Amino acid sequence: DTGVSQDPRHKITKRGQNVTFRCDPISEHNRLYWYRQTLGQGPEFLTYFQNEAQLEKSRLLSDRFSAERPKGSFSTLEIQRTEQGDSAMYLCASSPPPQEGYGYTFGSGTRLTVV
Amino acid sequence: AQKVTQAQTEISVVEKEDVTLDCVYETRDTTYYLFWYKQPPSGELVFLIRRNSFDEQNEISGRYSWNFQKSTSSFNFTITASQVVDSAVYFCALSEGQSNTGKLIFGQGTTLQVKP
């Protein structure tokens, strides 16, 4: 297993366009998290899945954002009608169930630039 | 409300100096976890340590050491004999045990620059 993979690494889009990012977690991890990191700040929690169920969403996740994790494997994060304020690094992480310890592993992130 | 504060925005040291990165947290939970992550210029977050709230033993791993003090809600990180490769942004993070979500609350980060 090569860890958590995110695709693409970089995305430049025009304001108003839709974008979709993909995250492939570590295969035996049932939890998957999305975070957003803006320049000079720490990552901020967006949402998380346990298997295919989306169990929590941050208030940061506006109606333009949607995340899915079909079949409890990979996840996608879509941003509709992008705005310049959406420019950030989007990080995905996965972890095993809590009883197995908080073994968080982060991906390398997708850097989004909205022009 | 839970919160993590890293008051030092940037620290600059010369190689071989010791440096301590401060972290203060707030939580109402009695069960929680504290983390340190390193983020080099390449962007990925590298896990350094996890400590649970019931384990106040300090830990040393090579040149890294951590000082957890519940009385002051602090979890400070010291790098001994710093090296240029230690240059990165370091994040302290908190995860509350009772909510069981596992989500992390990060501080703002401390940028460490180690000069040769």
Side-chain angles (χ1 to χ4, degrees):
Chain A
D1 201 337
T2 56
V4 178
S5 300
Q6 291 189 247
D7 184 66
R9 290 295 308 274
H10 303 274
K11 178 72 178 179
I12 299 174
T13 190
K14 290 184 179 178
R15 191 175 52 184
Q17 297 292 306
N18 299 344
V19 294
T20 300
F21 311 140
R22 177 179 170 123
C23 171
D24 287 89
I26 292 173
S27 55
E28 58 267 29
H29 285 181
N30 69 337
R31 291 188 169 201
L32 186 148
Y33 301 82
W34 285 99
Y35 288 81
R36 181 172 70 186
Q37 185 179 18
T38 53
L39 207 59
Q41 300 296 317
E44 295 173 294
F45 170 80
L46 291 178
T47 188
Y48 103 99
F49 293 84
Q50 183 163 297
N51 300 312
E52 66 275 10
Q54 188 175 17
L55 296 185
E56 185 170 336
K57 293 194 289 187
S58 162
R59 285 173 294 177
L60 293 175
L61 217 62
S62 76
D63 292 344
R64 298 183 297 106
F65 287 69
S66 63
E68 294 183 345
R69 192 184 182 196
K71 302 177 185 176
S73 55
F74 71 91
S75 176
T76 58
L77 178 67
E78 181 183 14
I79 309 175
Q80 296 183 327
R81 305 181 304 282
T82 52
E83 301 172 355
Q84 286 190 323
D86 297 331
S87 295
M89 174 80 88
Y90 290 85
L91 293 161
C92 176
S94 69
S95 76
Q99 59 268 25
E100 296 179 22
Y102 280 89
Y104 245 80
T105 302
F106 279 89
S108 298
T110 294
R111 184 170 295 284
L112 173 67
T113 303
V114 181
V115 297
Chain B
Q2 56 272 38
K3 186 179 178 182
V4 176
T5 301
Q6 296 178 255
Q8 304 150 308
T9 305
E10 291 184 24
I11 300 176
S12 182
V13 299
V14 176
E15 209 170 16
K16 297 189 178 130
E17 285 185 17
D18 299 347
V19 58
T20 295
L21 309 181
D22 297 334
C23 173
V24 174
Y25 63 91
E26 296 175 32
T27 178
R28 291 187 188 140
D29 275 9
T30 54
T31 303
Y32 52 89
Y33 299 84
L34 296 165
F35 301 77
W36 275 96
Y37 284 87
K38 175 182 180 180
Q39 189 173 46
S42 52
E44 77 275 20
L45 281 163
V46 178
F47 169 81
L48 296 177
I49 190 173
R50 180 185 75 243
R51 172 66 76 226
N52 75 52
S53 52
F54 298 109
D55 182 2
E56 284 194 74
Q57 275 195 331
N58 292 329
E59 181 156 339
I60 298 174
S61 176
R63 296 184 296 108
Y64 295 169
S65 62
W66 291 270
N67 183 358
F68 176 28
Q69 293 199 341
K70 284 178 78 170
S71 60
T72 55
S73 297
S74 65
F75 187 43
N76 296 338
F77 173 31
T78 297
I79 302 174
T80 303
S82 59
Q83 299 176 0
V84 172
V85 293
D86 295 327
S87 297
V89 183
Y90 290 85
F91 291 98
C92 181
L94 165 73
S95 178
E96 293 183 323
Q98 290 184 6
S99 70
N100 202 32
T101 67
K103 70 181 181 185
L104 296 175
I105 298 144
F106 286 85
Q108 304 94 314
T110 296
T111 300
L112 174 64
Q113 184 180 32
V114 181
K115 298 177 181 176

